[in-house]
Every structure is written in structure tokens, then in C-alpha cells.
């Protein structure tokens, strides 16, 4: 398989994952675990800094792959996550009010 076909298959595979809400939730959790939107510097701890920068590097790679497959997918995942958090907060508030 040549590199062009391989790249198309990679993008197609990721597009299939991004079409499902379960796939987007999994990718969102991975991106959050890699702390992709935070810096990795830990003052006074070079090993922790290196560890966090390594995690973040994987997150940036995944984010780039996601954006190549579907430019709006990150924002969609973010919105879906926020909606889920808001719904859970409302549910907890209602349960607390009924106690």
C-alpha cells in the first residue's frame, strides 16, 4: 500500500470513529487525559515536565489527526461534553432539592 492510500485509510478510519457519539466520547477522554490544552511545565521537576510534555505531544498528534479527518469535530466533542456535564449538574441539583 502506498503512502497516499495509507493516509486516506487513516483519515477514513478516524472519520468512521468520529461519526459515532461513543467514538467522540472516547477520543475526548483521551484528549483530556493528555492535557492537550495545558502546558507541561512543572516548576522544579524536570521528570514530571518531560512526562507531561510527552503526554501532551500524543494529544497534539491526535488532535491534528482529528482535525484532518473532520475540521469541526473537536468543537463538536467539546459541545457534547459540556452538554453532558450541564445535564448531570441539573440532575444532581434536582436530586438534592428532592431530598
Amino acid at each position: 500500500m502506498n503512502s497516499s492510500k495509507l493516509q486516506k485509510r487513516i483519515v477514513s478510519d478516524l472519520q468512521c470513529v468520529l461519526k459515532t457519539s461513543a467514538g467522540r466520547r472516547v477520543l475526548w477522554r483521551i484528549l483530556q487525559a493528555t492535557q492537550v490544552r495545558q502546558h507541561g511545565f512543572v516548576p522544579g521537576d524536570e521528570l514530571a515536565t518531560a512526562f507531561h510534555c510527552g503526554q501532551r505531544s500524543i494529544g497534539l498528534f491526535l488532535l491534528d489527526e482529528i482535525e484532518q479527518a473532520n475540521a469541526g469535530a473537536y468543537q463538536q466533542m467539546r459541545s457534547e461534553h459540556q452538554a453532558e456535564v450541564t445535564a448531570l449538574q441539573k440532575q444532581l441539583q434536582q436530586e438534592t432539592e428532592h431530598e
Side-chain angles (χ1 to χ4, degrees):
M1 179 178 298
N2 68 32
S3 65
S4 175
K5 285 185 180 182
L6 179 60
Q7 184 60 32
K8 286 180 183 180
R9 187 179 78 182
I10 290 169
V11 169
S12 176
D13 290 347
L14 193 48
Q15 287 171 337
C16 288
V17 172
L18 289 167
K19 286 181 183 178
T20 69
S21 57
R24 290 189 302 275
R25 285 192 305 268
V26 168
L27 291 173
W28 181 258
R29 284 196 314 272
I30 293 169
L31 287 172
Q32 295 309 296
T34 65
Q35 300 180 31
V36 72
R37 296 292 185 199
Q38 299 173 10
H39 64 78
F41 181 67
V42 179
D45 193 339
E46 297 86 12
L47 294 177
T49 296
F51 177 78
H52 289 291
C53 287
Q55 281 185 310
R56 187 169 182 269
S57 178
I58 295 298
L60 291 171
F61 167 79
L62 181 58
L63 184 58
D64 185 56
E65 294 282 309
I66 289 168
E67 289 175 349
Q68 286 181 35
N70 180 342
Y74 179 81
Q75 184 58 40
Q76 181 181 6
M77 290 187 293
R78 184 177 178 201
S79 296
E80 290 171 346
H81 174 73
Q82 188 58 48
E84 193 173 317
V85 168
T86 300
L88 287 171
Q89 288 172 336
K90 286 181 182 179
Q91 181 182 358
L92 287 172
Q93 184 178 11
Q94 289 173 350
E95 290 174 2
T96 303
E97 289 173 356
H98 289 112
E99 289 181 357

